């Protein structure tokens, strides 16, 4: 509900804004806060329509609620689960989604769903208190499934685009079960963001029931219509994995973060953070196999770069740096898989895939 303007709430806002602006030079992220405020000021000076302001205000409110909910859990890796809201409780896909959510949370991950019925309900039910719900307000009012806490673990979004933003931003892996247009929309958005490098790499696993062919038929379409026509690269198939085995899906996600921890850009340099050092022989092998995706130089060892010191909890991690071409992201996924070849799963002090 919109706030009714009055002298008292305008005075209160003015006081808060003056206090914020006066402290911008010393407050954390002050430059970014300044940029956001400046954009709002500039927008107020042009002929924006009422609908433009409604979208801006509504999206900011969506983001405010999501940020507040997720911030306390920022160091826990999370898996977003997508799938049909129409899947019945007695369907094998429902039971499979429940089992997946239950097992992945036992490994230390948390789960995010759309908080609706079907696969979403199965995910929240299986994950229990280790799950979140990102619901959407619809004209026919989609209610939450009852398996996610209304107060601390549920956000009701006004817009699909802000909801999808947080499905991707807060997740470290994606698990997708059979579904309709909405599921395909969410899946293709995730694929597009990963293929174009607009989000950091994360494992995407496509699960189907035993004997099911939903994803295999989809993959045939990808091969026959996309790869054969040259619309995507063959290596783009490395962005996802198809399986009907829940244990294999959970292992696939955990192994993705067994040695590889995360990556970020510092200027033109891609910095890959590792959980442990790799050997010189392993580094040489990476350079032999993946030199084709570098603009120049080699993959080299590094300590944390100065721009990374805003992440103090991981500054001690070893790093690899490279001039990645920002194009062959399917190959980048293959590079991450090759990095993870060095993991020793028998050493519990090495692999903590559930921690950011």
């Amino acid at each position: 509900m919109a706030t009714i303007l009055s002298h008292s709430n305008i005075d209160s806002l003015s006081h808060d804004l003056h206090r914020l602006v006066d402290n911008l030079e010393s407050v954390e992220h002050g430059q970014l806060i300044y940029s956001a405020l400046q954009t709002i000021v500039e927008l107020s000076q042009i002929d924006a329509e009422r609908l433009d302001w409604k979208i801006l205000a509504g999206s900011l409110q969506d983001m405010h609620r999501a940020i507040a909910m997720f911030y306390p859990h920022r160091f826990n890796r999370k898996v977003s689960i997508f799938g049909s809201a129409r899947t019945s409780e007695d369907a094998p896909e429902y039971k499979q989604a429940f089992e997946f959510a239950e097992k992945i949370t036992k490994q230390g991950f948390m789960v995010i769903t759309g908080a609706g019925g079907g696969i979403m309900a199965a995910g929240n039910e299986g994950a229990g208190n280790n799950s979140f719900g990102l619901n959407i307000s619809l004209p026919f009012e989609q209610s939450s499934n009852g398996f996610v806490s209304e107060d601390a673990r549920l956000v009701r979004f006004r817009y699909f685009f802000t909801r999808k933003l947080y499905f991707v931003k807060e997740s470290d892996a994606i698990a997708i079960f059979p579904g309709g247009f909405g599921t395909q929309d969410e899946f293709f958005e995730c694929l597009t963001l990963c293929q174009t490098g607009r989000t950091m790499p994360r494992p995407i696993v496509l699960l189907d029931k035993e004997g099911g062919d939903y994803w295999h038929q989809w993959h045939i379409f990808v091969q026959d219509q996309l790869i054969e026509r040259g619309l995507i690269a063959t290596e783009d198939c490395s962005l996802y994995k198809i399986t009907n085995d829940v244990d294999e899906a959970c292992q696939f996600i955990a192994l993705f973060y067994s040695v590889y921890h995360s990556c970020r850009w510092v200027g033109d340099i891609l910095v890959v953070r590792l959980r442990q050092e790799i050997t010189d022989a392993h580094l040489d092998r990476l350079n032999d196999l993946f030199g084709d995706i570098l603009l120049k130089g080699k993959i080299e060892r590094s300590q944390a770069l100065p721009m990374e010191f805003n992440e103090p909890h991981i500054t001690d991690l070893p790093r690899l740096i490279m001039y990645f071409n920002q194009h062959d992201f399917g190959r980048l996924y293959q590079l991450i898989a090759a990095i993870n070849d060095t993991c020793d799963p028998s050493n519990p002090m090495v692999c903590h895939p559930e921690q950011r």
Side-chain angles (χ1 to χ4, degrees):
M1 181 179 296
T3 301
I4 299 175
L5 290 182
S6 67
H7 287 299
S8 61
N9 54 38
I10 291 176
D11 287 344
S12 176
L13 175 62
S14 177
H15 177 268
D16 291 341
L17 284 173
H18 275 97
R19 184 174 57 183
L20 174 60
V21 171
D22 288 344
N23 293 309
L24 272 182
E25 289 183 336
S26 58
V27 72
E28 187 177 12
H29 314 307
Q31 181 63 46
L32 294 172
I33 297 171
Y34 169 84
S35 179
L37 293 174
Q38 183 65 26
T39 300
I40 292 176
V41 170
E42 291 172 357
L43 183 58
S44 71
Q45 296 170 348
I46 65 175
D47 294 328
E49 296 181 347
R50 176 178 173 80
L51 180 58
D52 294 318
W53 283 106
K54 287 184 68 175
I55 292 172
L56 177 61
S59 58
L60 287 175
Q61 289 161 3
D62 279 354
M63 295 173 68
H64 176 209
R65 290 188 290 267
I67 292 168
M69 181 177 73
F70 282 119
Y71 185 79
H73 310 280
R74 61 195 179 279
F75 297 126
N76 296 99
R77 292 201 189 274
K78 306 169 192 70
V79 182
S80 285
I81 296 179
F82 300 120
S84 176
R86 304 184 184 189
T87 304
S88 63
E89 293 183 14
D90 58 352
E93 293 89 346
Y94 187 102
K95 298 173 183 177
Q96 187 183 44
F98 175 95
E99 181 185 1
F100 170 79
E102 184 178 47
K103 288 188 173 182
I104 201 69
T105 52
K106 285 182 178 178
Q107 291 180 200
F109 292 84
M110 304 184 84
V111 158
I112 306 171
T113 84
I119 295 299
M120 295 176 279
N124 289 127
E125 183 182 8
N129 292 329
N130 293 307
S131 70
F132 302 90
L134 307 184
N135 208 346
I136 184 73
S137 298
L138 297 173
F140 46 86
E141 191 177 3
Q142 174 179 307
S143 59
S144 61
N145 55 47
F147 294 114
V148 60
S149 171
E150 288 281 341
D151 52 353
R153 301 291 175 87
L154 179 67
V155 171
R156 298 186 188 279
F157 285 82
R158 170 177 261 181
Y159 298 118
F160 273 107
F161 73 88
T162 47
R163 181 179 183 238
K164 288 195 289 186
L165 169 65
Y166 280 89
F167 268 128
V168 177
K169 175 187 176 296
E170 293 297 334
S171 70
D172 302 276
I174 307 290
I176 309 182
F177 294 81
F181 288 153
T183 300
Q184 291 289 329
D185 172 56
E186 289 156 342
F187 175 32
F188 272 107
E189 174 138 0
C190 292
L191 272 182
T192 301
L193 291 171
C194 291
Q195 185 210 37
T196 57
R198 299 308 298 170
T199 189
M200 288 303 168
R202 79 275 315 278
I204 300 175
V205 60
L206 314 179
L207 288 105
D208 201 356
K209 65 184 178 182
E210 185 71 32
D213 66 352
Y214 181 95
W215 291 117
H216 287 290
Q217 290 294 327
W218 175 87
H219 185 61
I220 290 172
F221 166 79
V222 169
Q223 291 178 310
D224 292 349
Q225 300 300 326
L226 303 185
I227 293 176
E228 288 298 320
R229 294 170 184 261
L231 302 177
I232 66 171
T234 302
E235 292 79 11
D236 288 334
C237 292
S238 298
L239 298 174
Y240 58 85
K241 179 180 181 62
I242 298 173
T243 184
N244 58 16
D245 186 307
V246 167
D247 290 331
E248 183 179 21
C250 293
Q251 183 183 36
F252 175 70
I253 291 171
L255 286 177
F256 192 90
Y257 295 106
S258 54
V259 176
Y260 170 82
H261 178 277
S262 58
C263 62
R264 68 174 286 182
W265 288 97
V266 177
D268 295 332
I269 299 173
L270 180 65
V271 182
V272 178
R273 285 80 74 98
L274 309 178
R275 297 186 177 278
Q276 66 179 74
E277 289 281 8
I278 62 174
T279 65
D280 290 340
H282 194 166
L283 181 58
D284 290 342
R285 181 162 64 90
L286 294 179
N287 275 298
D288 289 341
L289 292 174
F290 298 99
D292 60 299
I293 63 173
L294 304 182
L295 292 174
K296 61 181 179 180
K298 290 187 174 184
I299 303 172
E300 300 178 341
R301 301 183 191 278
S302 177
Q303 300 300 312
L305 301 183
M307 288 289 290
E308 296 183 89
F309 281 95
N310 62 341
E311 299 176 278
H313 64 292
I314 57 173
T315 53
D316 291 337
L317 292 181
R319 279 140 166 86
L320 300 176
I321 57 173
M322 66 195 78
Y323 287 94
F324 174 59
N325 64 19
Q326 302 190 47
H327 180 268
D328 296 308
F329 284 93
R331 291 280 286 145
L332 179 62
Y333 272 64
Q334 294 174 353
L335 170 61
I336 291 171
I339 288 172
N340 288 327
D341 282 346
T342 196
C343 180
D344 179 6
S346 66
N347 184 354
M349 298 303 293
V350 172
C351 299
H352 292 285
E354 76 288 352
Q355 299 174 5
R356 282 181 175 170

